[in-house]
Amino acid sequence: MRNLLSLSDLRTQFSTGRGQVKAVDGLDLTVGEGETVGLVGESGSGKSVTALSAMGLVDDPGEIVSGSVELESARLAEEFREEYNNPAFVDGDVVNLVDAPEEALRAVRGRELGMIFQDPMTSLNPSLTVGEQVAESLRLHQYGGRRKDSWFNAVRELLPRISRDIDDEIVERTIEVLESVGIPEPGARVDEFPHEFSGGMRQRVLIAIALACQPRVLVADEPTTALDVTIQAQILDLIDDLQEDLGMSVLMITHDLGVVAETCDRVAVMYAGEIVEEGPVEEIFHNPSHPYTYTLLESLPSEDKERLTPIEGNVPDLIDMPEGCHFAPRCPWAQPECTSGEIPYKQHGDDAVDHRSKCVLDDFDTSEYGGDAIEASTGTEPSDTPLLEVDGMQKYYEQADGILDRFLGADDRSVKAVDGIDFTVYEGETLGLVGESGCGKSTAGRSLLHLTPPTGGRVVFSGTDLSGLDSDELRAMRRDMQMIFQDPMSSLDPRMTVGQTIREPLDVHDLPESDPNVRGEADVTVTGIDAERVSVTASDEIDAIVGSSNGVATAAVTVTVADGEVDVAVEERLRTEVEVEREGDVVSGVTVRVTPGDSTSERRRRRVHQLLDAVGLEVGQYDRYPHELSGGQRQRVGIARALAVDPDFIVADEPVSALDVSVQAQILNLLEDLQERFGLTYLFIAHDLSVVRHISDRVAVMYLGEIVEVAATDELFDDPRHPYTQALLSAIPEPDPAAETDDRIILEGDVPSPINPPSGCHFRTRCPQVIPPADLDIEQAAYREVMDLRQRVEREALDVETARDAALDAGDPSAEAAVSADGGTADADAVVDELRESHLSHSLSPELRGVVDRALERVVADDWDEAGEILRERFESVCERDAPELGEQMHPAACHLVDE
């Protein structure tokens, strides 16, 4: 296999006031012809900088200080030899991109190397149509549009519509590219802007831009990180199909090991700027030879793990890295030789298998890894006492905000974010709430806490209807109800330190306070003196700092006497008052009193310190600001803030969605520990179903503002009843290359608009099991296609003009005359055939085909209403006439298939 892209001893550094950040430190990596290589590792390991280095996109203060990025391309090499008069950066058919000038790199990007960036909304130009942005790459590389770098030409590139029109050939090619990546009706949508596309469609546009010129190598930097599992499955399936069709190579950069297992041929594991292990995907997952790879895989949630095993510590600071293995400080199997000299690569397994790892160990004993973590969790069973009851809750947002909006004719339809949901959360349980982005999960969480008051329905917490409370009563009630927000960086005030952030709720609610019904006691350990000579008492007010259980607040006190000295340690952050009695130089008695402190300020400071301990942060981080913390540490601050008022119920809104698997495991374990320690109840909102399966007792599935299925976690995963739940579960990436995925359900399209949700079952517009009329003899897949066609007709979203052009291109000499005479209606048959064949791939009976053709004839005649009526009359489903109801049985599902 030829290597198309080769990175050799690549070193990329960033200059900072503290020194050189070695983001990529001596990396070697190759991508072969037709191969998909995965580059995985935690955030901060250097994956994205590697991609930018390969593309020549590293900006100041970063630079590639040494090494090479070589691209094999006979065509480019010959062009550069002619253009640059035998340049030094070309050797035979190989181009060294590190030494190539910027103008040469512009010829490479898009044409030979394409890149999909991580965030489509920030990568696309909001002021240009999607068609313009795809056409730009075509114009630059295939239609002679490359120009010298200058201010004038830069302005021309930014204002393509002002400077010139796109010719018909580029438009046609742009539509073809958009169609190839699954954009529906590309001819009609080519002039739309990025904000008019959904997240999945925007990601497809980025892929279209990257693939417009059919590059030989595609660099995909976290292409599915921000997407739901259903959209992720669509995108991965699309990339796989396009790779097969175009024969290109792919460098897939991600921290999602499930994505790697399903898409990659070979995997490189990156840590602190280095490749620590590399090999075939089956070897990496089934026979990891580097401790980092093994511990990374062990961090993944799975159905057979009661407790996760996170990697202790964090990715190191990449400034002034010590010699030896960078992973050694976190490695459970570290040896003295790991911390000195250069660590060599070792070959593992069969000589025919290229599987190498950068570790001094030939193997390591994994039998005891994670044993302590597993034993630490005893588990608690939720009760059957309802803590939170949600009855018909609605949250609508009005688009016309005021009189002026209504006067000007603003759209007065409501956005039905939450449309009448019912569920119960029991004391001590974790209820998972899952669904795609846009289904209303986060809005539901905020509304039930009345952070945004519901439009209708009831929320009853501990027997109190929250809708009947005034603002002061609601503020007092929020002491028992708290929320952990999705993005800790945006939910934490950047001007407040960690200590100030956690202390703020204490100031607002005038806490901490002691419960007069709680008794304080000490759990005493004595060493070096007779226990009868030690007296330890705990103030009844210590529960203000340490909390209580069953009416008792306990302080763990250790008294140690050695060499005439007395040491008293309290596990909790409490004040100690110690009196020592002596007989000569010998300690004869010790009296200890444990208190929460005298002043309110002292008690609040001690409470904050106690919370920092509880969430696994150092007290030394009290005075740090959010930007000085890692993502996992910021999330811990958010959890500590939520715990500060000692709540009973917490809404956790996507608390681990932005975290690496190792940090994710730490946070999930922490949430479980806190639940057991403080008796917490959670509503856990997420779209990562593997995480939900691990932490939840029950799961509620939400779609377009409605709950469609509720069941105990194991039952839901073993026997999903609603087609939407089945699609969600089948889309979960399996972190096992041997897993069978042929039966995966790929949902087409996106969640419909909550402004005008579909009638009947909201899911019926995408449902692969939508129910045909009883008298209709049609295959399920064919009926789904007809229903999709109906929806496009009802939205007037069929691209008739493109169908006319295709009919003309087919070579019918009469078609051109007819089209030019009266817009195409005189010879509609060819246009109807083109529309039908482009939207229906399954065969229909002559009768049903006749119905479809009659409807399409009306479309060609621009009578969309009549076309929709023809299709509705023959193909209408019970799923669109009647809305299914969620029953009250143990495992209800709102679906007509289940009702039957």
Side-chain angles (χ1 to χ4, degrees), residues 223-428:
T224 62
T225 294
L227 303 179
D228 300 305
V229 288
T230 51
I231 307 300
Q232 174 177 269
Q234 292 178 20
I235 296 300
L236 293 178
D237 195 49
L238 171 64
I239 292 176
D240 186 58
D241 290 344
L242 292 172
Q243 181 182 17
E244 185 175 345
D245 293 342
L246 302 177
M248 67 182 176
S249 304
V250 178
L251 177 60
M252 178 73 70
I253 298 172
T254 180
H255 64 252
D256 189 329
L257 295 169
V259 169
V260 170
E262 293 190 4
T263 61
C264 296
D265 304 305
R266 193 158 48 88
V267 181
V269 183
M270 193 168 185
Y271 184 79
E274 299 180 331
I275 300 294
V276 296
E277 184 168 6
E278 183 181 0
V281 63
E282 295 85 359
E283 281 284 306
I284 296 296
F285 279 82
H286 296 152
N287 183 33
S289 57
H290 194 283
Y292 177 61
T293 307
Y294 177 81
T295 53
L296 204 60
L297 292 169
E298 284 296 297
S299 300
L300 293 171
S302 67
E303 57 183 294
D304 58 345
K305 289 181 181 178
E306 291 294 329
R307 187 170 176 83
L308 302 179
T309 309
I311 307 174
E312 298 298 328
N314 297 296
V315 175
D317 189 341
L318 300 181
I319 298 175
D320 296 327
M321 291 293 295
E323 290 187 355
C325 176
H326 298 335
F327 186 61
R330 304 172 70 190
C331 180
W333 300 278
Q335 303 295 317
E337 57 267 35
C338 297
T339 58
S340 61
E342 180 66 22
I343 307 298
Y345 284 100
K346 287 188 176 183
Q347 171 70 20
H348 291 266
D350 193 334
D351 291 341
V353 177
D354 185 12
H355 180 189
R356 61 183 184 130
S357 74
K358 197 170 187 179
C359 181
V360 300
L361 302 174
D362 292 318
D363 53 45
F364 42 91
D365 184 7
T366 62
S367 60
E368 296 183 1
Y369 180 70
D372 293 341
I374 295 174
E375 292 172 2
S377 178
T378 59
T380 57
E381 290 295 326
S383 73
D384 56 1
T385 303
L387 178 67
L388 180 81
E389 297 172 276
V390 178
D391 181 16
M393 186 177 75
Q394 297 174 324
K395 180 59 185 179
Y396 294 174
Y397 293 95
E398 300 295 333
Q399 298 192 89
D401 292 334
I403 296 175
L404 181 61
D405 284 337
R406 288 190 287 271
F407 177 76
L408 294 175
D411 194 343
D412 60 355
R413 293 178 299 171
S414 299
V415 178
K416 300 176 181 178
V418 179
D419 197 15
I421 61 174
D422 306 279
F423 62 88
T424 300
V425 186
Y426 297 93
E427 290 183 359

Side-chain angles (χ1 to χ4, degrees), residues 485-549:
F485 295 92
Q486 178 174 355
D487 182 1
M489 195 60 187
S490 62
S491 60
L492 298 177
D493 190 331
R495 299 165 299 178
M496 295 175 64
T497 65
V498 168
Q500 292 169 336
T501 297
I502 300 174
R503 177 170 169 155
E504 186 179 33
L506 302 177
D507 297 335
V508 169
H509 293 283
D510 197 22
L511 296 174
E513 64 181 11
S514 175
D515 185 342
N517 297 317
V518 171
R519 172 173 52 87
E521 65 176 32
D523 180 11
V524 184
T525 302
V526 178
T527 304
I529 189 175
D530 189 341
E532 294 181 356
R533 293 178 175 273
V534 177
S535 173
V536 180
T537 58
S539 167
D540 289 338
E541 295 183 334
I542 65 170
D543 66 298
I545 306 300
V546 303
S548 63
S549 177

